[in-house]
Amino acid sequence: MRYFFQRFLQLLLVFVIVTFVVLVVMRVGSNNAQELAIKLAGRPLKPEESDALIQQYNLDANFISQYLTWLKNLIFHFDLGFSPQAGQSVADLLKPRVWTTVLLGLYANVFGLLIAIPLAVTQAYRRDRPFDKVGSMATFIAVGIPGIVLGVFLKLIFVVQLGWFPSIGDKIYPWDDLHEHFMNFFLPTLTLTIPVAAIYTRLLRADMVMTLQSDFITLASAKGVPPHRVVWKHGLRNSLFSLVTAVGTQLGALIGSAVLVESLFDLDGLGSQLVVSVLSADLFTVQSFVAIIVLIVVVVNLLVDLSYALIDPRIRQARALG
Amino acid sequence: MSIGSTTNITQAALRDVQGPLLELTDVRTHFRTPRGLVRAVDGVSFTLERGRSLGIVGESGSGKTILSRSIMGLLPSKGTERSGSIKFAGTEVGNKSRKEMRHIWGKEMAMIFQDPMTSLNPLMRIGDQIAEPLRLHLGMSKADAAATARRLLQDVRIPEPDRRLAQYPHEMSGGMRQRVMIAIAMACGPTALFADEPTTALDVTVQAQILDLLGEQRRERNMSLVLVTHDLGVVAGHTDEIAVMYGGKLVEKAPTKRLFAAMKMPYTEGLLASIPKLEDQSHSRLNVIPGRPPDLVNPPKGCRFAPRCPYASARCNEEEPPLTATQDDPNHSYACWYPVGSPEYHEARARINASAGVN
Ligand SMILES: Nc1ncnc2c1ncn2[C@@H]1O[C@H](COP(=O)(O)OP(=O)(O)O)[C@@H](O)[C@H]1O
Ligand code: SF4
Ligand SMILES: [Mg+2]
């Protein structure tokens, strides 16, 4: 628990540093508070408008004070600033879009794991036999294809050629309308899942092949434990480390792909919004975007960290002592 | 439900069968490799009576592990060629598939591995690892299996069994883990136990305890024990019989006392000379047999030991000596043209001593 708390503080620090640096980078170009206020507003301002903005966001103070104000507004008022480009507050702009990206990432991981685990376990169990060889070939190809190429390919076939998945409605969330959700999310999810599943499969298969050569696996067989139990009960849990680590390390790449995939399939998500916001120099939105992404990364990494301890009693005990 | 009663069911069934528990005839296990066929076990025959113990001794690489795994049928099928006959309690098991053997593994034949540090599942509690075969083979309930596991830990002299049952392997010393391995092996009351270098990875002081424990469990449960080791000293006090293995073959086999009193094979003589003496503090073992074990892809044509044998002569390089019984003891057999004590042996020794004196 103490370990977990330490990790939490570390990751919180990461969050603070990253968001602070982004704030500085975006604001450092302005010569004075008035100029910065105009930049944030995205239009010429009357003196009293400018003064109000400077007041509200503490723009004439140093960067640390500006950052603290930003943080305070975020935590106490859930005020992320406003988007001149969209003409609404950033919170209202991003709130519905966050779920698109979060769901895409979640689906890609859940389906990726659901495909990878049985595939990798079976491949490792039938190592070097036809099933394994075909599987290795398939995952090798899938890892090699850039996600965006795969997305374009799927869109051309299913949407352009076959006319499936017509874009219908904007009730894209499962809690609004399940059918529309499926129609809107199927291809983007597929595009993201295939490379993720392939990477997970390759990592798990490699670990599993090593594990299945261990003495304790032979001992489990020598006890008369049936093969499926040897593999699933004794083998899998001992082979999860690379896989769990990959869920954390692949996350950045996955968010990157999600950004592209949302634009490609016309899904209203953080990604598609980010492109617009960056192009229109929408400082508050970009700042919030970074904050949300870093927050997601931090949370997932905490979960990954927790998983190690759940899987391995040695790690659990080492942490309890440390 | 007690272990005693379940043990008796299996053992009673097997004891009804007449004849030896284990009967090997010309067992061969070869591996297809890019280098060629590795003749890891190359024509081994022996019998082992119920409740008796046999030590299999030989240098590393002589095929002991592969032999014991061949008997259990615990080898990967891919690239492995098996032949010969392995009869267990009168039933041929040499040609059984892994699927068929599964009902014998853990229940009638059990195995203890060399390295207790790697042989237990690091992520599973000790109690669950002992209970697993009990539940699988004997269909015990969770509670019965836990109670039996506890008793097994007591049998192998592990203090505080309740605490230990809930522990993971990394919380135990090597010696403790090897006791757990023995408890797992004993769990279903097997009739045959294969222990492959069970003490090699342990401290010297712990080694003797583990060997004593194995012997005691064997006697109490009337099990047959095959004790595999590279150290002739380990089997000396702990098995009824000793079989010496070299290059995939048995080269000498005798009751333990007889072997030490009248060994015939120069290789056995060499192994005996290489046992580290307690009083010999220096770590340099002057008496290690010079040379290397034979290449199992292209073994020597005649006696496989000939390239390293100090008494080898022309015949040894041409003709392979068969495993034959000694005249005075049918239980003692050896494979050598010029065995220890023969006139040729003395002649060769004299020659060697003479040339050593000249230098
Ligand atoms: N799967 C395998 N493929 C090829 N050769 C093997 C395989 N397993 C063991 N061997 C070879 O068989 C020989 C006997 O090995 P082993 O039985 O482990 O010896 P020991 O237990 O007496 O030290 C060794 O030369 C080893 O290299
Ligand atoms: S047969 Fe010849 S080479 Fe082989 S052990 Fe006997 S004396 Fe040595
Ligand atoms: Mg060995």
Side-chain angles (χ1 to χ4, degrees), chain B residues 22-64:
Chain B
L22 202 55
E23 196 170 1
L24 273 68
T25 316
D26 200 26
V27 170
R28 285 165 206 268
T29 305
H30 298 171
F31 298 107
R32 287 188 296 272
T33 68
R35 271 188 64 233
L37 206 58
V38 177
R39 297 156 198 274
V41 175
D42 208 18
V44 169
S45 306
F46 69 79
T47 56
L48 179 62
E49 301 297 327
R50 282 147 217 281
R52 308 269 298 167
S53 57
L54 170 70
I56 299 181
V57 193
E59 288 167 296
S60 163
S62 51
K64 307 177 304 286

Side-chain angles (χ1 to χ4, degrees), chain A residues 144-166:
Chain A
I145 300 175
I148 193 65
V149 173
L150 183 65
V152 168
F153 183 73
L154 290 174
K155 179 157 184 168
L156 281 179
I157 293 183
F158 289 105
V159 180
V160 178
Q161 295 292 328
L162 295 172
W164 297 357
F165 305 104

Side-chain angles (χ1 to χ4, degrees), chain B residues 41-299:
Chain B
V41 175
D42 208 18
V44 169
S45 306
F46 69 79
T47 56
L48 179 62
E49 301 297 327
R50 282 147 217 281
R52 308 269 298 167
S53 57
L54 170 70
I56 299 181
V57 193
E59 288 167 296
S60 163
S62 51
K64 307 177 304 286
T65 294
I66 301 302
L67 174 61
S68 50
R69 294 201 179 184
S70 297
I71 301 171
M72 279 195 78
L74 257 180
L75 289 168
S77 51
K78 202 164 169 278
T80 309
E81 291 175 7
R82 302 190 288 182
S83 69
S85 156
I86 301 168
K87 281 201 170 122
F88 178 70
T91 311
E92 178 65 43
V93 294
N95 50 15
K96 283 204 158 125
S97 66
R98 288 177 77 94
K99 206 174 160 186
E100 294 169 298
M101 288 307 285
R102 215 180 71 219
H103 305 287
I104 296 177
W105 289 339
K107 194 173 178 201
E108 279 150 29
M109 295 181 182
M111 188 166 228
I112 295 168
F113 294 126
Q114 171 169 349
D115 190 352
M117 304 315 245
T118 59
S119 302
L120 292 166
N121 185 338
L123 306 185
M124 209 171 170
R125 289 180 198 279
I126 297 298
D128 293 337
Q129 300 196 47
I130 303 176
E132 197 173 27
L134 293 168
R135 289 174 57 78
L136 281 169
H137 289 303
L138 308 180
M140 280 191 191
S141 70
K142 238 185 164 132
D144 281 347
T148 308
R150 186 179 185 282
R151 193 151 44 228
L152 282 161
L153 283 190
Q154 284 173 326
D155 287 350
V156 296
R157 313 247 183 300
I158 291 185
E160 299 180 81
D162 289 313
R163 187 168 71 87
R164 294 298 188 178
L165 283 175
Q167 283 188 328
Y168 290 93
H170 72 272
E171 298 170 85
M172 297 183 154
S173 68
M176 277 294 165
R177 290 190 217 190
Q178 201 59 308
R179 284 170 195 268
V180 170
M181 294 279 292
I182 295 174
I184 291 174
M186 301 293 98
C188 297
T191 35
L193 176 64
F194 298 84
D196 189 354
E197 310 260 7
T199 60
T200 306
L202 302 176
D203 285 349
V204 184
T205 45
V206 185
Q207 284 185 3
Q209 295 168 8
I210 295 290
L211 289 170
D212 289 342
L213 177 65
L214 272 176
E216 171 198 301
Q217 292 290 316
R218 175 180 70 82
R219 280 187 299 276
E220 271 175 23
R221 294 162 190 269
N222 194 26
M223 273 186 323
S224 300
L225 171 68
V226 175
L227 181 61
V228 169
T229 172
H230 66 276
D231 186 350
L232 195 54
V234 162
V235 285
H238 292 91
T239 58
D240 302 321
E241 281 179 295
I242 293 177
V244 179
M245 202 167 174
Y246 186 77
K249 288 174 180 286
L250 293 194
V251 292
E252 182 157 17
K253 181 172 182 281
T256 302
K257 276 210 185 82
R258 164 84 186 187
L259 186 86
F260 282 97
M263 57 184 58
K264 294 288 180 194
M265 253 302 276
Y267 178 62
T268 314
E269 194 186 37
L271 280 181
L272 181 67
S274 65
I275 296 177
K277 308 279 184 303
L278 269 183
E279 63 269 21
D280 182 10
Q281 288 294 322
S282 75
H283 283 281
S284 59
R285 285 210 226 151
L286 292 173
N287 289 325
V288 163
I289 308 169
R292 283 158 44 84
D295 174 14
L296 296 174
V297 176
N298 294 302

Side-chain angles (χ1 to χ4, degrees), chain A residues 53 76 79 93 108 127 172-173 192 219 236 276 290 300 317:
Chain A
L53 262 188
F76 294 112
D79 174 9
L93 175 70
R127 180 155 77 104
I172 55 173
Y173 294 123
L192 291 177
L219 180 78
L236 178 59
V276 177
V290 171
V300 169
Q317 288 167 9

